[in-house]
């Protein structure tokens, strides 16, 4: 029996990280699938609230521990607003305004580069020459892709700007969560974070949107995927990975997210990358890979689902 358990653990460590990255990548294409049927903030608010209900049930059944103090709860809530309301809100809003899903994935996919830069310059963390090279390559690649897409009339400057806000949201949120929320239980922490994120998105939806959702079959499928597979399923998978000590492998594979999301968007929505944009994509993937080979110990990648 011990041997069987060890074999299962090894199999999990090999398969689960890749599965997690694959799930993360689907968030961009399913956002594009859902947005024709609901406005951004309305869609996210409903998604967050459904996820809260499901994760609350999971937390009660599994008797997950809750934060011991109000201060810790507030820290988790702030991280949730940055990582969910700002990041997801920015990604969804950018796609709603015409930015291709693959390009949105690419822009926010340089998050580890930005985290490395912040850690190196402002937090005095050591950043190697290889990581600085990765930063230069990654940012240059994104600029090349965005320039090429805008030249082709695909997307708007506003959409790009909103995606950049999402990038800063996930980057700042990563550092904040690493600094203040390292001990949170991922299940109860997610309940708090999604609840906190639903407040600003709900307010924006109330004052700026019609709050109407067209519940077509495609919309129901997209919402079910976003909530069950991503907000709940990926959270549970991540929790299992951390318990098994394999979470670091998710970070090491994170540079595969932009090309994976782009491949899905090509298959589902005929999004393509011409020669200039493709060169930029490859530059960015290489740049993130260079930074990701040995993640910063203290301020590594955020391994939270989209």
């Amino acid at each position: 029996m011990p041997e069987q358990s060890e074999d299962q653990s090894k199999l999990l460590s090999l398969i689960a990280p890749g599965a997690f990255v694959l799930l993360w990548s689907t968030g961009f294409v399913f956002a594009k699938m859902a947005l024709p049927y609901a406005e951004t903030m309305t869609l996210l608010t409903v998604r967050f609230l459904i996820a809260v209900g499901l994760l609350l049930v999971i937390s009660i059944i599994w008797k997950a521990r809750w934060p011991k103090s109000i201060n810790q709860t507030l820290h988790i809530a702030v991280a949730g607003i940055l990582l969910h309301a700002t990041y997801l809100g920015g990604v969804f809003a950018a796609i709603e305004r015409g930015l291709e899903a693959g390009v949105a994935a690419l822009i926010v996919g340089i998050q580890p580069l930005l985290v490395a830069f912040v850690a190196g310059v402002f937090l005095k963390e050591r950043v190697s020459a290889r990581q600085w090279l990765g930063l230069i390559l990654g940012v240059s690649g994104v600029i090349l892709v965005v320039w090429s897409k805008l030249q082709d009339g695909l997307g708007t400057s506003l959409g790009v700007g909103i995606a950049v806000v999402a990038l800063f949201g996930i980057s700042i949120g990563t550092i904040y969560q690493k600094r203040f929320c390292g001990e949170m239980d991922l299940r109860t922490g997610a309940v708090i974070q999604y609840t906190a994120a639903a407040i600003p998105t709900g307010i924006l939806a109330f004052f700026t949107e019609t709050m109407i959702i067209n519940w077509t079959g495609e919309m129901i499928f997209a919402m079910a995927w976003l909530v069950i597979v991503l907000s709940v399923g990926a959270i549970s998978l991540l929790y299992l990975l951390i318990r098994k000590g394999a979470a670091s492998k998710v970070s090491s594979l994170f540079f595969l997210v932009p090309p994976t999301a782009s491949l899905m968007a090509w298959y589902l929505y005929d999004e393509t990358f011409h020669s200039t944009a493709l060169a930029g994509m490859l530059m960015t993937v290489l740049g993130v890979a260079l930074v990701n080979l040995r993640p910063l110990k203290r301020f590594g990648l955020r391994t939270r689902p989209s």
Side-chain angles (χ1 to χ4, degrees):
M1 288 299 292
E3 292 182 1
Q4 183 180 4
S5 178
E6 184 178 349
D7 290 341
Q8 291 175 344
S9 180
K10 289 180 179 179
L11 183 63
L12 173 67
S13 66
L14 288 173
I15 296 177
F20 179 78
V21 171
L22 184 64
L23 291 179
W24 181 294
S25 302
T26 65
F28 299 94
V29 294
F30 276 92
K32 187 165 184 173
M33 181 183 294
L35 283 170
Y37 307 106
E39 293 160 292
T40 295
M41 296 304 160
T42 300
L43 174 63
L44 285 175
T45 301
V46 173
R47 173 186 173 179
F48 293 155
L49 292 177
I50 296 174
V52 166
L54 292 175
L55 286 164
L56 184 60
V57 171
I58 290 173
S59 298
I60 293 172
I61 292 175
W62 286 354
K63 298 180 180 179
R65 59 181 174 81
W66 292 86
K68 297 179 179 179
S69 67
I70 295 178
N71 188 51
Q72 182 63 18
T73 301
L74 290 175
H75 280 311
I76 294 172
V78 170
I81 291 172
L82 290 169
L83 295 173
H84 298 299
T86 306
Y87 163 61
L88 290 178
V91 169
F92 278 53
I95 293 174
E96 185 180 38
R97 283 158 180 78
L99 193 67
E100 291 185 336
V103 178
L106 187 67
I107 292 174
V108 297
I110 67 169
Q111 173 260 349
L113 308 184
L114 189 58
V115 170
F117 173 77
V118 171
V121 174
F122 298 104
L123 303 174
K124 308 304 180 183
E125 291 287 329
R126 181 181 178 275
V127 181
S128 68
R130 185 194 70 251
Q131 289 174 315
W132 281 113
L133 175 61
L135 174 67
I136 295 171
L137 275 175
V139 173
S140 299
V142 167
I143 291 173
L144 190 61
V145 171
V146 169
W147 175 81
S148 175
K149 291 292 185 178
L150 291 180
Q151 287 289 104
D152 292 340
L154 300 173
T156 63
S157 298
L158 177 60
V160 172
I162 294 172
V164 171
V165 171
L167 168 63
F168 277 91
I170 190 175
S171 300
I172 296 171
T174 294
I175 295 174
Y176 192 94
Q177 179 152 312
K178 291 287 183 181
R179 175 66 177 84
F180 297 107
C181 311
E183 299 300 319
M184 81 172 194
D185 183 284
L186 291 176
R187 296 157 298 185
T188 56
V191 172
I192 297 169
Q193 289 190 337
Y194 285 132
T195 300
I199 296 173
T201 59
I203 292 173
L204 286 172
F206 181 80
F207 285 105
T208 67
E209 298 178 353
T210 63
M211 299 191 74
I212 297 173
I213 298 179
N214 184 11
W215 291 103
T216 65
E218 192 172 53
M219 174 61 189
I220 293 172
F221 178 70
M223 180 66 80
W225 187 278
L226 290 170
V227 173
I228 298 173
V229 177
L230 292 174
S231 296
V232 177
I235 282 281
S236 301
L237 179 58
L238 177 61
Y239 183 71
L240 186 59
L241 284 170
I242 289 177
R243 289 187 61 184
K244 297 294 183 180
S248 62
K249 295 186 179 181
V250 179
S251 294
S252 68
L253 291 173
F254 201 86
F255 69 95
L256 294 174
V257 170
T260 302
S262 297
L263 185 62
M264 292 177 181
W266 165 76
Y267 180 76
L268 293 172
Y269 304 113
D270 200 29
E271 292 185 7
T272 58
F273 282 76
H274 299 299
S275 56
T276 302
L278 183 60
M281 166 73 80
L282 295 175
M283 287 172 60
T284 301
V285 170
L286 177 60
V288 177
L290 287 173
V291 172
N292 243 10
L293 289 176
R294 294 179 182 176
L296 295 174
K297 292 181 179 179
R298 188 178 175 191
F299 295 96
L301 298 181
R302 170 182 178 258
T303 51
R304 305 271 303 152
S306 59

